[in-house]
Amino acid sequence: MTFLEVQNVSVDLGEFHLAHANLKLNKNDYMVIIGPTGSGKSVLLETIAGFYNPDNGKIFLEGNEITNLTPENRGISIVYQDYMLFPHMNIFENIAYGLKKKIKNQDIIKSKVLEMAELLKIDHLFDRNPETLSGGEKQRTAIARSLIVEPKILLMDEPFAALDVNTHAYLTKLIKEVITDCQTTCIHVSHNFNDVYNLAEQVAVMKDGKILQQGTCQDVFSKPTHNFVADFVGVHNVFEGTVTEIKNGITTVKLKNDILIRSADTPPKTKQEHVLAAVRPENIIISNEPFLSSLRNQMKGVVEDFIVRGPTVWVATNVNGTVFKGMITLSSYDLLKIEKGKEVYISFKSLNVKIIDVYES
Ligand SMILES: Nc1ncnc2c1ncn2[C@@H]1O[C@H](COP(=O)(O)OP(=O)(O)O)[C@@H](O)[C@H]1O
Ligand SMILES: [Mg+2]
């Protein structure tokens, strides 16, 4: 059953129009909305949260219309890029804030705050004030504060945009665990395609106030209707396959024509699962001879095409019907004497193979 439905919603903000937005989300889905700056991602999110009134269309949550409900009455929490913590409250009080409106028993409040803070690994920060926290700690506090009231939906507006690369990576992993743990339905707005890659089950692509495409990662990756997605997928090697083995931390994915790819990425829950395996072109090594190494992936193919782009060369190698795009330096290209039809070996580390679960909808 559809959990959240945005039905033909339009919002007129003068210069900017959100036009006929349609979205459908099932319970416990993690949706990433992606699109360039100014495309209307925040306006859409804040319309769902109830801060803008649609001129047109309806919004349903659990089958009930919420189009005209006030934000407080929707059961929706929102997390912002700039955290918006209460500066005069310590971390415990920040997290407990929404709960205190619902529950009076101090012991229950304490235990719930502790539980949520442990999940987000901020239980050692209770007595601190927000201004003494790092960006990542502030955002973990903001997320804890939002989740503790058990919202029907958690909305996050570029929650990682102000964080450095390492903190972004750490929080991505943590958020995925916490959201799965809390079984929360989630919409996460981002302009960073890696968030789609790492977090999304559902993707919506926005541009110029319109939702151009919505679907599972598989739908959107395999049939992108917009250049923004096509460009991203185009520069990656994204392959459909089935998990045939999970052993010693290595997952084996079988692609068409029995090509096997080995990945050290977090394994899917079960074997036989339908997944996407992805490798970035810069992680593919091309050689003329097979070589002995610890690389888990090495296969023989034929150069199908190549493009020289300044100091780098893109080489498309056909391995038994599957094309791997590699990116090498101009000097390697010279050294290897790359030409169409040449037999080469491609190799890549299992560490560089990302597994993307395919969620059947
Ligand atoms: N309250 C508002 N009134 C008028 N225009 C707005 C308002 N809020 C946002 N906009 C405009 O709507 C457009 C989309 O904004 P926004 O949703 O914030 O984009 P995104 O989040 O995708 O970067 C922008 O051009 C912005 O200036
Ligand atoms: Mg925005």
Side-chain angles (χ1 to χ4, degrees), residues 10 15 38 90 122 134 251 329 334 340:
S10 299
E15 301 260 291
N90 69 21
I122 44 174
S134 69
T251 301
T329 61
D334 283 337
K340 282 187 197 176

Side-chain angles (χ1 to χ4, degrees), residues 205-233:
V205 184
M206 284 193 80
K207 189 162 185 275
D208 299 334
K210 297 192 185 71
I211 297 174
L212 300 176
Q213 188 175 10
Q214 191 213 322
T216 59
C217 279
Q218 188 197 10
D219 289 342
V220 175
F221 282 16
S222 59
K223 296 183 201 79
T225 59
H226 188 258
N227 287 344
F228 180 60
V229 181
D231 287 352
F232 177 85
V233 177

